[in-house]
Amino acid sequence: MFDGLREAGRDETIRSVVELAQDLVRRPSRGGIDDYGPVLGFLEEWLSARAVPHRRLYDGEGALVGLLAEVAGGRPGPWWTLDACVDTAPYGDLARWSFPPACGEVRDGWLLGRGAADSKLAAAMYCHLAAGLAAGPRDFAGGLAVLLDVDEHTGGFGGARAYLADPHAVRPAGVIIGYPGMDEVVVGGRGLWRATLTVYAPSGHSGSSRTVTSAIIRAARLVGLLDAADLPGADGASGFPLGPKLTVTAFHGGRGFSVTPDRVDINVDTRNTPHFDAHAAETLVRKAAAEVDAELPGPVPTSLSKVASWPPFRLEADEQPAAALLSAARQAGLDVRAKTAGPSNIGNLLAGQGIPATAGFGVPYEGLHGIDERASLAELADVYAIHQQAVDELLGRPFESP
């Protein structure tokens, strides 16, 4: 009878998680496009109805960029954070979707709609974990924070930045980020260094008898040098499994046909590793710019404006919070591997603050950031129980399945 009650309680919890995720998908929150008020307001109401302590987070300009739920334990100890963004990627070509992007329907065991996979299902799951803690005895150490942030898909990470800057928030000992995917837990990632280079030249008429080296020619030479740059490979001695990467991602200059432009702006994105860091990336790019200035002189030297810099990060499998999540998954009989990712993620932002983070271990998915985004619900009960076990371990609390 007891096992039957536990199973019934688990099923009810999972049903409630799905219903909350459906409600979130039905509130469009595309990064930089939609108003975040409706989706965050709905979450506020949900948390308030369950007496989960929470408050709003604002950026430096006073814009609402997230919610922070906080559940304190009855004993001193470290705090841990679960983070799931509730803004989403844009819809893309609506004509190619086979269902409305904000439908939030469940069909054939899949939750449908933009944000189903990234990351409204995780947000719903983390809200339930916080509500469960808030409703029970405070027989745990430290505390659990749930960050429900927006401005993530814009690349601004306004919610996460507001959390880290909040003087009232307890600094977390580690963060679990609710990205989807059941085969791996991301425990590291390449860092990034981004800059805009501006190449100058005299402007002129394209039909003039006087020949000038235009900004486009100078910029094209610079792009060629950057593209041919010799980067180191992966460094086995450091234990970091990936090598660095440099990509020119934008090239802007000129307009019309009859005028040669006097400037071109080039965006450069580097993905960095412990043995090719931001300083090494900047040195390489500045060297290429100086070579072009010497070979094809312009009226002023090429300028460089740094845009962003995040360090690479990597946890060992036995470091928290990775250890708790991987251990819980393996105890459930799942073959989950620790992965160092090529793309950067919010874990890099946290690493810059000295906060260890993992990303991933969610349900299987399709169409993330693309057409017909959907998240599988067949595995949700296992994913939920594994997260609950990991949280209980981190908080020094006996694990009880929902």
Side-chain angles (χ1 to χ4, degrees):
M1 178 178 177
F2 180 71
D3 288 342
L5 288 172
R6 286 167 63 89
E7 184 173 342
R10 179 197 64 192
D11 291 347
E12 180 57 36
T13 298
I14 298 307
R15 187 179 303 111
S16 180
V17 170
V18 173
E19 289 174 352
L20 176 55
Q22 288 181 281
D23 286 328
L24 297 179
V25 172
R26 288 167 180 155
R27 288 163 172 79
S29 52
R30 293 166 291 175
I33 299 174
D34 295 313
D35 177 9
Y36 302 133
V39 71
L40 292 174
F42 180 79
L43 282 166
E44 274 191 306
E45 293 175 4
W46 192 95
L47 294 168
S48 295
R50 289 153 184 83
V52 179
H54 65 279
R55 53 195 170 84
R56 294 184 170 195
L57 295 174
Y58 297 91
D59 66 14
E61 298 179 354
L64 177 62
V65 289
L67 299 176
L68 182 66
E70 297 169 305
V71 184
R75 296 179 281 119
W79 279 66
W80 304 89
T81 298
L82 304 176
D83 171 36
C85 64
V86 292
D87 68 323
T88 72
Y91 293 153
D93 185 357
L94 289 172
R96 296 176 56 201
W97 283 71
S98 60
F99 48 81
C103 70
E105 294 179 12
V106 172
R107 187 184 304 167
D108 299 325
W110 293 81
L111 173 62
L112 309 181
R114 177 63 83 224
D118 184 15
S119 291
K120 292 182 174 181
L121 187 60
M125 184 171 65
Y126 289 171
C127 284
H128 280 78
L129 288 170
L133 272 182
R138 302 300 173 95
D139 58 347
F140 55 93
L144 180 73
V146 174
L147 174 62
L148 304 164
D149 56 322
V150 294
D151 193 37
E152 197 262 11
H153 284 83
T154 63
F157 298 97
R161 293 181 187 277
Y163 170 49
L164 294 173
D166 189 336
H168 304 293
V170 180
R171 181 181 176 87
V175 178
I176 294 175
I177 303 165
Y179 290 160
M182 206 167 181
D183 298 327
E184 57 201 23
V185 172
V186 173
V187 297
R190 288 189 293 202
L192 62 80
W193 179 84
R194 290 172 175 164
T196 296
L197 298 171
T198 302
V199 179
Y200 303 93
S203 62
H205 196 290
S206 60
S208 173
S209 60
R210 185 172 68 94
T211 300
V212 298
T213 302
S214 75
I216 287 179
I217 297 300
R218 299 187 72 238
R221 175 61 176 149
L222 178 53
V223 170
L225 288 176
L226 293 173
D227 188 57
D230 185 20
L231 300 178
D235 182 7
S238 71
F240 202 87
L242 301 173
K245 184 179 182 182
L246 185 153
T247 308
V248 175
T249 58
F251 188 105
H252 301 289
R255 184 175 183 181
F257 292 91
S258 63
V259 178
T260 57
D262 59 1
R263 67 178 284 170
V264 170
D265 297 311
I266 302 168
N267 287 355
V268 179
D269 177 280
T270 69
R271 299 306 168 112
N272 306 329
T273 64
H275 55 288
F276 185 84
D277 59 10
H279 176 72
E282 182 172 349
T283 300
L284 184 153
V285 172
R286 287 190 181 277
K287 181 179 178 182
E291 185 174 338
V292 170
D293 288 342
E295 179 184 332
L296 302 171
V300 294
T302 298
S303 65
L304 185 151
S305 176
K306 287 182 280 189
V307 175
S309 180
W310 288 354
F313 78 101
R314 185 172 183 270
L315 305 184
E316 296 300 327
D318 59 353
E319 290 184 74
Q320 297 291 20
L325 199 56
L326 289 166
S327 174
R330 288 165 182 162
Q331 288 180 45
L334 300 178
D335 183 17
V336 179
R337 65 188 181 97
K339 176 186 177 182
T340 299
S344 305
N345 60 55
I346 199 171
N348 298 88
L349 176 64
L350 295 165
Q353 300 286 327
I355 299 171
T358 68
F361 195 72
V363 299
Y365 63 92
E366 293 178 358
L368 187 146
H369 289 191
I371 305 302
D372 284 355
E373 181 177 344
R374 66 189 74 199
S376 175
L377 299 178
E379 300 82 1
L380 179 58
D382 288 336
V383 171
Y384 186 95
I386 287 165
H387 272 87
Q388 185 178 40
Q389 182 172 342
V391 167
D392 285 346
E393 179 182 335
L394 293 170
L395 297 176
R397 185 170 181 259
F399 169 65
E400 295 183 9
S401 65

